[in-house]
Amino acid sequence: MVLIRISHNSMRSLRIGRHAVFEKAHCRRFEFIQEDDAAMQFFRIPTSRAVSFLVQFSPNMRAILILFVTLLHLIGAAQSPSSVIEPVRFDADLLERLIKKGVDSVRLKRKAMTLQADTALQLAANHQALYILKTGKLTHTQSRNKTMRTVMQRIRAFGGRGSYVAENALYCYVTIPIRNTIGKTVTLTTYQEAADEVVRMWVRSKGHYANMINRRFTHTGVAVAYDVARKRVIAVQVFSDGSSGMTSLWDLSPSSVPDYLRLLYSDESS
């Protein structure tokens, strides 16, 4: 049985049982990769691979597939904010939504408007989260990638707009004891606890907080990646004063999928 995990604004991976399934960027055949703790964090990223697979079907068939897998997802795979974070069932979409909700709550307290979700910004955030995951370096730049070095370049590469942008990024350790932002030793085990700690860490950092409450920003994209080996979550949020007009990966045209794949999986990003 094929199960395609989908979320409110993107498709995350193709799955058959415990195997992650994806289409190679430069050929039309599928590979079956055994999922394990060390590798699973890379499988929740291939949103484009699911898109490149589904765009081959007619619109009616795509609608049927989406409805079918949505029902499967709701029946067996849904997790809640109080769910315990587990490597093999890591729900990145849920954590991303909770982080955005927390940031919006902070903005409302400062009389700033909530931010609109933007797919291009989410893809840019995703790209940087993967870079940090691969390199182990918490940074806002990709020094070896000339076309994706800065946050503005990444936003533009994925079709984003706006002349005023910013990016927040951090590590947040989960499932192991840590000293939190108020000096207490705690263990973050649920998605809500992790999201709350991410938001608190940004609030307590002057530069990150300034980005969070900046009224010039109107759109955002949040992405997370799970570093299983180090038991930490990488969170990246991108802000912009402009909209790409994309609120879903279905706004990508089939002809743009190859370029999208090339950007997400370029060897230059490692």
Side-chain angles (χ1 to χ4, degrees):
M1 177 180 68
V2 177
L3 173 60
I4 307 174
R5 286 192 55 225
I6 69 172
S7 67
H8 64 295
N9 70 343
S10 62
M11 302 197 66
R12 290 298 183 190
S13 60
L14 288 169
R15 311 175 72 80
I16 295 182
R18 285 182 51 78
H19 296 268
V21 185
F22 59 87
E23 188 178 13
K24 276 192 171 181
H26 302 296
C27 69
R28 290 185 172 275
R29 67 184 180 86
F30 292 101
E31 289 190 348
F32 295 77
I33 305 296
Q34 180 65 44
E35 180 176 297
D36 55 40
D37 287 355
M40 61 77 59
Q41 63 265 38
F42 292 102
F43 297 142
R44 52 84 42 183
I45 298 298
T47 56
S48 56
R49 301 179 193 270
V51 173
S52 64
F53 167 69
L54 288 171
V55 294
Q56 301 176 60
F57 294 94
S58 68
N60 288 339
M61 181 58 72
R62 287 204 300 267
I64 292 172
L65 284 171
I66 292 170
L67 176 60
F68 174 68
V69 299
T70 299
L71 291 174
L72 288 176
H73 179 73
L74 292 175
I75 291 170
Q79 298 191 68
S80 70
S82 61
S83 295
V84 174
I85 297 173
E86 299 175 290
V88 295
R89 298 183 66 239
F90 181 59
D91 192 336
D93 300 308
L94 173 60
L95 185 54
E96 290 163 359
R97 293 197 300 272
L98 292 174
I99 291 171
K100 182 185 180 300
K101 183 178 179 180
V103 172
D104 281 341
S105 178
V106 172
R107 288 177 62 86
L108 287 172
K109 290 178 182 178
R110 293 298 303 267
K111 309 300 181 183
M113 296 288 290
T114 59
L115 298 165
Q116 298 297 309
D118 186 279
T119 298
L121 300 182
Q122 198 271 338
L123 295 175
N126 228 359
H127 197 278
Q128 188 63 13
L130 266 185
Y131 178 83
I132 295 171
L133 178 65
K134 291 178 180 179
T135 63
K137 299 176 182 178
L138 185 60
T139 177
H140 295 291
T141 61
Q142 298 185 23
S143 58
R144 296 175 59 187
N145 192 337
K146 294 180 180 179
T147 61
M148 305 288 268
R149 179 171 294 155
T150 68
V151 60
M152 180 64 85
Q153 286 177 303
R154 295 189 290 274
I155 291 171
R156 290 283 187 267
F158 288 109
R161 299 173 184 172
S163 58
Y164 187 63
V165 303
E167 181 181 79
N168 285 351
L170 57 69
Y171 296 136
C172 179
Y173 288 88
V174 295
T175 71
I176 58 174
I178 61 167
R179 189 172 295 275
N180 67 7
T181 52
I182 58 176
K184 292 184 178 181
T185 299
V186 299
T187 301
L188 307 175
T189 59
T190 71
Y191 289 93
Q192 189 64 66
E193 290 170 349
D196 290 345
E197 185 64 13
V198 167
V199 174
R200 278 195 296 265
M201 290 172 71
W202 279 337
V203 167
R204 296 175 76 87
S205 168
K206 184 177 180 180
H208 293 97
Y209 182 60
N211 289 336
M212 293 171 71
I213 63 173
N214 193 319
R215 296 187 182 187
R216 286 186 62 179
F217 295 134
T218 57
H219 291 76
T220 192
V222 179
V224 299
Y226 194 6
D227 187 338
V228 177
R230 296 180 176 88
K231 297 185 183 299
R232 63 189 181 187
V233 169
I234 298 159
V236 177
Q237 182 169 20
V238 173
F239 305 85
S240 177
D241 62 349
S243 169
S244 68
M246 291 193 296
T247 58
S248 165
L249 282 178
W250 297 113
D251 293 330
L252 290 170
S253 65
S255 61
S256 70
V257 170
D259 287 337
Y260 169 73
L261 281 165
R262 178 180 55 78
L263 290 171
L264 262 187
Y265 303 103
S266 170
D267 291 336
E268 291 180 317
S269 65
S270 59

